[in-house]
Amino acid sequence: MADTLARIADPDDLRFLVMLAAVLVVGVLAVAAGVQMLPRDADSGFGFRWARRP
């Protein structure tokens, strides 16, 4: 099994790809957590929420 993987890609390349995938997964999870903190209601006006005029 290891010999087959070594023929496909160098073990150092595989280590790099696995680390890159881990960083990308952590980044996607961070973005998903940030999106959940945004307000659910759509902003119906122009400007900041606390500066709306009646």
Side-chain angles (χ1 to χ4, degrees), residues 5-34:
L5 288 176
R7 289 181 189 171
I8 295 172
D10 190 36
D12 292 331
D13 293 339
L14 289 175
R15 187 177 300 125
F16 172 76
L17 292 175
V18 168
M19 290 300 294
L20 182 62
V23 168
L24 289 175
V25 167
V26 169
V28 167
L29 291 176
V31 168

Side-chain angles (χ1 to χ4, degrees), residues 31-53:
V31 168
V35 167
Q36 286 183 354
M37 296 174 70
L38 293 175
R40 299 253 181 222
D41 58 340
D43 189 12
S44 61
F46 179 78
F48 298 106
R49 178 181 305 201
W50 58 85
R52 284 189 187 154
R53 296 182 183 154

